[in-house]
Amino acid sequence: MVDEKLLKEFAEPILEQLEKLQKKVGSDTILQIPKIRLMMDPSVDTLKLGDKEVDEEFLKALEEYIQEELEMMNEPTVLH
Protein backbone atom coordinates (compact mmCIF):
# COMPACT_ATOMS: atom_id res chain seq x y z
CA MET A 1 0.00 0.00 0.00
CA VAL A 2 1.34 3.40 -0.99
CA ASP A 3 1.14 6.26 1.51
CA GLU A 4 -0.96 9.12 0.05
CA LYS A 5 0.92 11.71 2.11
CA LEU A 6 4.24 10.49 0.74
CA LEU A 7 2.86 10.59 -2.82
CA LYS A 8 1.86 14.24 -2.38
CA GLU A 9 5.25 15.06 -0.86
CA PHE A 10 7.09 13.64 -3.89
CA ALA A 11 4.61 14.95 -6.48
CA GLU A 12 4.44 18.56 -5.29
CA PRO A 13 7.85 19.74 -6.59
CA ILE A 14 7.28 17.96 -9.93
CA LEU A 15 3.86 19.57 -10.37
CA GLU A 16 5.28 23.00 -9.43
CA GLN A 17 7.93 22.69 -12.14
CA LEU A 18 5.36 21.61 -14.71
CA GLU A 19 3.18 24.61 -13.81
CA LYS A 20 6.17 26.96 -14.20
CA LEU A 21 6.93 25.43 -17.58
CA GLN A 22 3.33 25.83 -18.70
CA LYS A 23 3.30 29.50 -17.65
CA LYS A 24 6.60 30.08 -19.45
CA VAL A 25 5.46 28.43 -22.68
CA GLY A 26 1.87 29.59 -22.48
CA SER A 27 -1.23 27.47 -22.28
CA ASP A 28 -2.17 28.20 -25.91
CA THR A 29 0.86 26.29 -27.21
CA ILE A 30 0.07 23.12 -25.26
CA LEU A 31 -2.67 21.29 -27.16
CA GLN A 32 -2.49 18.06 -25.18
CA ILE A 33 -1.97 17.19 -21.56
CA PRO A 34 1.60 15.95 -21.15
CA LYS A 35 2.09 12.25 -20.39
CA ILE A 36 4.40 11.55 -17.47
CA ARG A 37 6.64 8.47 -17.32
CA LEU A 38 8.80 7.73 -14.29
CA MET A 39 11.38 4.98 -14.59
CA MET A 40 13.82 3.34 -12.27
CA ASP A 41 17.15 1.86 -13.24
CA PRO A 42 16.43 -1.85 -13.86
CA SER A 43 19.54 -2.87 -11.92
CA VAL A 44 18.13 -1.30 -8.73
CA ASP A 45 15.29 -2.85 -6.72
CA THR A 46 14.65 0.13 -4.43
CA LEU A 47 15.88 3.69 -4.09
CA LYS A 48 16.39 5.42 -0.80
CA LEU A 49 15.64 9.14 -0.73
CA GLY A 50 16.48 10.45 2.70
CA ASP A 51 14.90 7.90 5.02
CA LYS A 52 12.19 6.85 2.56
CA GLU A 53 12.37 3.84 0.27
CA VAL A 54 11.00 4.13 -3.25
CA ASP A 55 10.20 0.99 -5.22
CA GLU A 56 8.60 0.27 -8.59
CA GLU A 57 5.11 0.14 -7.06
CA PHE A 58 5.58 3.59 -5.53
CA LEU A 59 6.87 5.04 -8.81
CA LYS A 60 3.83 3.67 -10.65
CA ALA A 61 1.48 5.18 -8.06
CA LEU A 62 3.38 8.50 -8.22
CA GLU A 63 3.14 8.52 -12.01
CA GLU A 64 -0.62 7.94 -11.86
CA TYR A 65 -1.09 10.59 -9.17
CA ILE A 66 0.86 13.22 -11.15
CA GLN A 67 -1.05 12.35 -14.33
CA GLU A 68 -4.40 12.77 -12.55
CA GLU A 69 -3.29 16.10 -11.11
CA LEU A 70 -2.19 17.29 -14.56
CA GLU A 71 -5.53 16.34 -16.05
CA MET A 72 -7.35 18.25 -13.32
CA MET A 73 -5.14 21.33 -13.84
CA ASN A 74 -5.51 21.34 -17.60
CA GLU A 75 -8.87 20.93 -19.20
CA PRO A 76 -8.23 19.45 -22.64
CA THR A 77 -9.42 21.45 -25.61
CA VAL A 78 -11.54 19.59 -28.15
CA LEU A 79 -10.63 20.60 -31.67
CA HIS A 80 -13.32 20.21 -34.33
Side-chain angles (χ1 to χ4, degrees):
M1 187 75 191
V2 177
D3 182 9
E4 186 77 21
K5 183 179 175 186
L6 191 58
L7 273 178
K8 289 180 182 179
E9 183 181 329
F10 277 76
E12 186 175 319
I14 296 169
L15 291 169
E16 286 174 3
Q17 291 302 313
L18 290 170
E19 283 183 61
K20 286 180 187 178
L21 178 63
Q22 185 174 10
K23 287 178 184 175
K24 183 178 179 180
V25 187
S27 61
D28 293 340
T29 58
I30 299 176
L31 298 177
Q32 291 182 326
I33 297 171
K35 298 287 184 208
I36 300 298
R37 280 281 177 241
L38 301 175
M39 296 187 215
M40 192 160 62
D41 184 344
S43 65
V44 177
D45 290 332
T46 59
L47 297 172
K48 192 156 183 148
L49 300 174
D51 62 341
K52 299 169 178 91
E53 280 195 10
V54 176
D55 59 6
E56 193 68 39
E57 177 188 1
F58 180 83
L59 279 183
K60 181 73 175 160
L62 181 60
E63 182 180 293
E64 290 172 3
Y65 179 82
I66 291 172
Q67 193 65 48
E68 287 173 8
E69 290 295 313
L70 279 174
E71 289 171 7
M72 287 193 310
M73 288 187 325
N74 301 290
E75 295 179 1
T77 304
V78 178
L79 301 175
H80 293 272

